[in-house]
Amino acid sequence: MAITVVGSVAFDSVETPSGKYERKLAGAGTYFSLAASYFTDVRVIGVVGEDFGPQHEAVFAARGIDTRGIERAEGKSFFWRGEYGENLNEAKTLQTDLNVFATFEPKIPEAYLDSEFLFLANIDPVLQRRVREGMPKARLVGGDTMNYWINDHRANLLKMLEVVDILLINDTETKLLAGNKNPVKAANDVLKLGPKSLVVKHGEYGATAFFGGKSFAGTDAHHPFRAPALPLAEVVDPTGAGDSFAGGFFGYIASQPELTPEVFKRAMFYGGVMGSFAVERFGTERLQELTREEIEERFGMFRALTHLD
Amino acid sequence: MAITVVGSVAFDSVETPSGKYERKLAGAGTYFSLAASYFTDVRVIGVVGEDFGPQHEAVFAARGIDTRGIERAEGKSFFWRGEYGENLNEAKTLQTDLNVFATFEPKIPEAYLDSEFLFLANIDPVLQRRVREGMPKARLVGGDTMNYWINDHRANLLKMLEVVDILLINDTETKLLAGNKNPVKAANDVLKLGPKSLVVKHGEYGATAFFGGKSFAGTDAHHPFRAPALPLAEVVDPTGAGDSFAGGFFGYIASQPELTPEVFKRAMFYGGVMGSFAVERFGTERLQELTREEIEERFGMFRALTHLD
């Protein structure tokens, strides 16, 4: 079933220990939708500037992604310049130009309104909540956020969390949001803010799903679930790993007839799989040219890495 | 089959965010042997001072651990004082008194010589190698080390690594030993130094086993294995978690008729299980009073945490 994602469609200039690139197509909305497109129909809501050309449009088209929700505005697209040192888990931001994103007002195409799945990538929580309210037929809503919104827009973020079913954030964000350094207590505190499930991303160590007290899709608050990340000999570019995880995770869920605990667990694995592909090459390169066979093969590697038999 | 461990039998004074204690029985040899004692017969080699009394001897006796290899020397036992802040992964050392350990010369009781399994806990690599050479019947040798030996006693450490089959160290130690920050490349570099397998401990994220190019007990260099750690709402005292992991891991292997890939994987899980018990209470308290049923129940929790079905 179709999934709509609202998020940034941007250009990134990135330097990592493996090399660098200038102004490649990027953004959370882009990574998410490419990763999810291997599992289900994807629709994007975002805004781009005049620097977004047919060659960029073609990246979405090649994966059958519906871009009618990407508004073309005067000016330049959102731009981010960052670099990674030897600690590939943490990017250093050198430049952020919001450009057309500064006045972004998400517009939901009528053709998107029957989407049963909605993912609110990391943008202003006021806009996240507005999009959710504009899509009442969405029966499962995922969301992301970041330190900036947790620290400086807390009230708005709390309103957003009320309407999110599954929140996907990392360790640092979880502890910051909860104000608690213990990972389990922090997760439980976040679950009290609204989400029925919290997926905490651990970078190279994978991700752990926690569930709230009230049963959600058959899950059990006493049974968290941990999916691994693949130990990789070279991480070429960590950019977009988390958004690709979210795309694989939510794309797989949207492709299944029902959300069961088994589907949730497999979705965690597919999230890790898509994240592991994303970081193998620069930007979205690897996500543009995968096959379902490669994805299934890697899923098997994740299983072999963690399963006793 | 019996396992012999050489390592420190010591007293610790520790402060953690959960509380503190003074001069409790501790040391790598103690944590290891208590954890391993739930799986197989354990024999300890170490040295203690006059402060080691019948009540401490009783802790080993209650678990059926053979202490004939623990020498009683004049003076005081090894003493360590440390504290943990909110980051429970890293201890701050406040005081280290080697005491009788400063002149420790391991003596192997004749009754230990038929041990088929040997674990060289973190002590001077010269002594580790000497014990290994004194026990030629040991057919599987595990070992541990730390930053101090890696930095300041490298030549001796390299000689020790030649005689170790399975090395168990943490992420930081692996990267330091290899001189490489990529976890996979670092692991492969360490495997070139001698060990047939490297188990890298990740603290709250579990542990990953890597295997060398030549098949070891049916393992495959292209298939690492990752065991989780249990997400715990309260880590009371992280002291001894790594040694307890090693004890559960090696104790389980020693209890099995043959080392197969399946046994190795289950041993990784039992390592995590024993580590998770160790940190639930202060010092060795929890490891003194477990039942095999509790261990199996927790093993099931580790499986549920990671397995798709």
Side-chain angles (χ1 to χ4, degrees):
Chain A
M1 276 158 293
I3 183 165
T4 289
V5 54
V6 56
S8 60
V9 177
F11 292 97
D12 282 357
S13 292
V14 173
E15 182 160 359
T16 82
S18 303
K20 57 181 175 176
Y21 56 86
E22 286 292 329
R23 295 191 177 268
K24 270 185 187 273
L25 178 66
T30 306
Y31 279 103
F32 181 97
S33 55
L34 287 172
S37 73
Y38 291 91
F39 300 94
T40 195
D41 291 336
V42 183
R43 300 152 171 182
V44 194
I45 298 172
V47 62
V48 294
E50 290 148 307
D51 48 358
F52 185 88
Q55 72 275 32
H56 307 119
E57 176 66 44
V59 170
F60 292 90
R63 294 294 320 144
I65 297 163
D66 192 331
T67 58
R68 283 177 286 180
I70 300 184
E71 183 189 348
R72 269 70 171 173
E74 276 182 31
K76 283 191 163 184
S77 303
F78 182 97
F79 171 74
W80 180 74
R81 182 184 295 279
E83 69 177 18
Y84 297 85
E86 285 208 331
N87 175 7
L88 291 163
N89 291 318
E90 215 165 323
K92 185 177 168 191
T93 292
L94 302 173
Q95 190 180 345
T96 304
D97 298 339
L98 289 177
N99 296 328
V100 297
F101 218 72
T103 53
F104 177 42
E105 286 289 341
K107 292 166 194 69
I108 306 166
E110 195 161 335
Y112 287 16
L113 288 175
D114 62 352
S115 301
E116 295 190 29
F117 297 86
L118 172 64
F119 188 75
L120 309 168
N122 168 36
I123 57 171
D124 185 336
V126 172
L127 301 184
Q128 288 178 311
R129 174 144 186 162
R130 199 175 298 159
V131 172
R132 197 284 171 260
E133 286 169 351
M135 299 191 68
K137 287 190 183 161
R139 61 183 169 88
L140 195 73
V141 182
D144 186 11
T145 190
M146 68 185 292
N147 289 0
Y148 172 67
W149 308 114
I150 297 171
N151 282 324
D152 298 346
H153 295 256
R154 197 174 183 90
N156 292 336
L157 180 62
L158 293 178
K159 280 188 203 153
M160 184 280 265
L161 292 177
E162 291 168 3
V163 299
V164 165
D165 298 301
I166 306 176
L167 181 68
L168 293 93
I169 53 180
N170 67 29
D171 283 300
T172 310
E173 290 154 358
T174 303
K175 290 171 186 174
L176 186 67
L177 181 53
N180 194 316
K181 300 263 178 155
N182 176 278
V184 177
K185 287 181 183 165
N188 289 333
D189 286 350
V190 170
L191 287 168
K192 287 178 195 145
L193 302 176
K196 301 178 181 78
S197 172
L198 170 67
V199 175
V200 183
K201 294 172 283 181
H202 312 308
E204 63 178 299
Y205 298 120
T208 307
F210 295 90
F211 305 100
K214 286 168 220 154
S215 176
F216 165 56
T219 60
D220 178 343
H222 300 291
H223 285 101
F225 184 72
R226 179 164 288 179
L230 205 62
L232 289 170
E234 190 179 9
V235 171
V236 169
D237 177 13
T239 313
D243 301 312
S244 304
F245 180 99
F249 172 81
F250 228 59
Y252 177 73
I253 289 177
S255 77
Q256 298 299 302
E258 198 188 346
L259 179 56
T260 63
E262 288 66 39
V263 166
F264 198 107
K265 292 176 191 177
R266 293 179 64 90
M268 294 278 290
F269 270 54
Y270 279 114
V273 163
M274 300 312 286
S276 77
F277 279 125
V279 304
E280 280 185 346
R281 300 254 294 274
F282 287 115
T284 60
E285 272 176 32
R286 191 74 178 98
L287 293 185
Q288 292 181 33
E289 47 140 59
L290 286 167
T291 64
R292 193 60 201 249
E293 290 66 39
E294 288 176 306
I295 292 169
E296 292 307 319
E297 189 192 346
R298 186 150 298 185
F299 187 95
M301 291 168 71
F302 273 69
R303 181 190 278 270
L305 177 67
T306 50
H307 280 50
L308 291 169
D309 30 46
Chain B
M1 275 157 294
I3 184 166
T4 290
V5 54
V6 56
S8 60
V9 177
F11 291 97
D12 282 358
S13 291
V14 172
E15 181 160 0
T16 82
S18 303
K20 58 181 176 176
Y21 55 87
E22 285 293 329
R23 297 194 176 265
K24 269 184 187 273
L25 178 66
T30 306
Y31 280 103
F32 181 96
S33 54
L34 287 173
S37 73
Y38 292 91
F39 301 93
T40 195
D41 290 337
V42 184
R43 300 151 171 183
V44 194
I45 299 172
V47 63
V48 293
E50 291 149 306
D51 48 358
F52 185 89
Q55 72 276 34
H56 307 118
E57 175 67 44
V59 171
F60 292 90
R63 294 294 320 143
I65 298 165
D66 192 332
T67 57
R68 283 176 287 179
I70 300 184
E71 184 190 345
R72 268 72 170 170
E74 277 181 30
K76 281 192 165 183
S77 303
F78 183 98
F79 171 74
W80 179 76
R81 182 185 295 279
E83 69 177 20
Y84 298 84
E86 285 209 330
N87 174 9
L88 291 164
N89 290 317
E90 215 167 323
K92 185 176 169 193
T93 292
L94 301 174
Q95 188 181 346
T96 304
D97 298 339
L98 288 178
N99 296 328
V100 298
F101 218 73
T103 53
F104 178 41
E105 286 289 341
K107 292 167 194 70
I108 306 166
E110 194 161 334
Y112 287 16
L113 288 174
D114 62 353
S115 300
E116 296 190 28
F117 297 86
L118 173 64
F119 188 75
L120 309 168
N122 169 37
I123 57 170
D124 185 335
V126 171
L127 301 184
Q128 289 178 311
R129 175 145 184 162
R130 198 175 298 160
V131 172
R132 197 286 170 261
E133 285 168 351
M135 298 191 68
K137 287 190 182 160
R139 60 184 169 88
L140 195 73
V141 181
D144 186 10
T145 190
M146 69 185 290
N147 290 0
Y148 172 67
W149 309 113
I150 298 171
N151 282 324
D152 298 346
H153 295 256
R154 196 173 184 89
N156 292 336
L157 180 63
L158 293 178
K159 279 187 203 153
M160 183 280 265
L161 292 177
E162 290 168 3
V163 299
V164 165
D165 298 302
I166 307 175
L167 181 69
L168 293 93
I169 53 180
N170 68 29
D171 283 299
T172 310
E173 290 155 356
T174 303
K175 291 171 185 174
L176 186 67
L177 181 53
N180 194 316
K181 300 262 179 157
N182 175 278
V184 178
K185 287 181 182 165
N188 289 333
D189 286 350
V190 170
L191 287 168
K192 288 178 194 144
L193 302 176
K196 301 178 181 79
S197 172
L198 170 68
V199 175
V200 183
K201 294 172 283 182
H202 311 308
E204 64 177 298
Y205 299 120
T208 307
F210 295 91
F211 304 101
K214 286 168 222 154
S215 176
F216 165 56
T219 60
D220 179 340
H222 300 291
H223 285 102
F225 184 72
R226 180 164 288 180
L230 205 63
L232 289 170
E234 188 178 10
V235 172
V236 168
D237 178 12
T239 312
D243 300 312
S244 305
F245 180 99
F249 172 80
F250 228 59
Y252 178 74
I253 288 177
S255 76
Q256 297 299 301
E258 199 188 347
L259 179 55
T260 63
E262 288 66 39
V263 166
F264 198 108
K265 291 175 191 178
R266 292 178 65 89
M268 293 278 290
F269 269 55
Y270 280 114
V273 164
M274 300 312 287
S276 76
F277 280 124
V279 304
E280 281 184 347
R281 300 253 294 273
F282 288 115
T284 60
E285 272 177 32
R286 191 73 178 100
L287 292 185
Q288 292 182 32
E289 49 140 56
L290 286 167
T291 65
R292 193 61 200 248
E293 290 65 40
E294 287 175 306
I295 292 170
E296 292 308 317
E297 188 192 347
R298 186 151 297 184
F299 186 95
M301 291 168 72
F302 273 69
R303 181 191 278 270
L305 178 67
T306 51
H307 281 50
L308 291 169
D309 32 46

